[in-house]
Amino acid sequence: MTDKKLTAGPNDRPKNASIGQSAEGFPDDIGRPVDVDDKTIEATKQRLSGKPRQKGLKELEQQEDAARLGSD
């Protein structure tokens, strides 16, 4: 089998090259790091912290009340 390329288009790669992360070793993923400010980090922490079960129960009760009382 040769290393001759299949096309010259956007999917240009050698015929026997692995695709995705199916090859051995570390993935060749050279992406730019995500730039996030401290304000976004703190807002996300606040949203994810706390008691998710209690929050879910409260939302469920509100939905049940709305269904029971009806909407205008």
Side-chain angles (χ1 to χ4, degrees):
M1 187 172 268
T2 66
D3 288 343
K4 190 172 181 178
K5 295 184 176 187
L6 297 173
T7 67
N11 293 326
D12 186 24
R13 63 183 175 86
K15 192 173 185 178
N16 63 349
S18 61
I19 57 174
Q21 293 183 2
S22 60
E24 294 179 3
F26 293 110
D28 186 18
D29 186 13
I30 308 173
R32 293 185 297 159
V34 178
D35 186 27
V36 181
D37 61 347
D38 292 335
K39 184 179 177 182
T40 306
I41 292 172
E42 287 303 318
T44 304
K45 281 182 182 179
Q46 290 296 321
R47 191 167 22 109
L48 295 176
S49 65
K51 300 183 179 188
R53 186 172 191 282
Q54 296 297 332
K55 184 178 177 182
L57 288 174
K58 183 178 179 181
E59 289 176 4
L60 183 60
E61 287 174 1
Q62 290 174 348
Q63 291 174 1
E64 288 175 344
D65 290 342
R68 187 174 52 252
L69 299 175
S71 60
D72 294 333

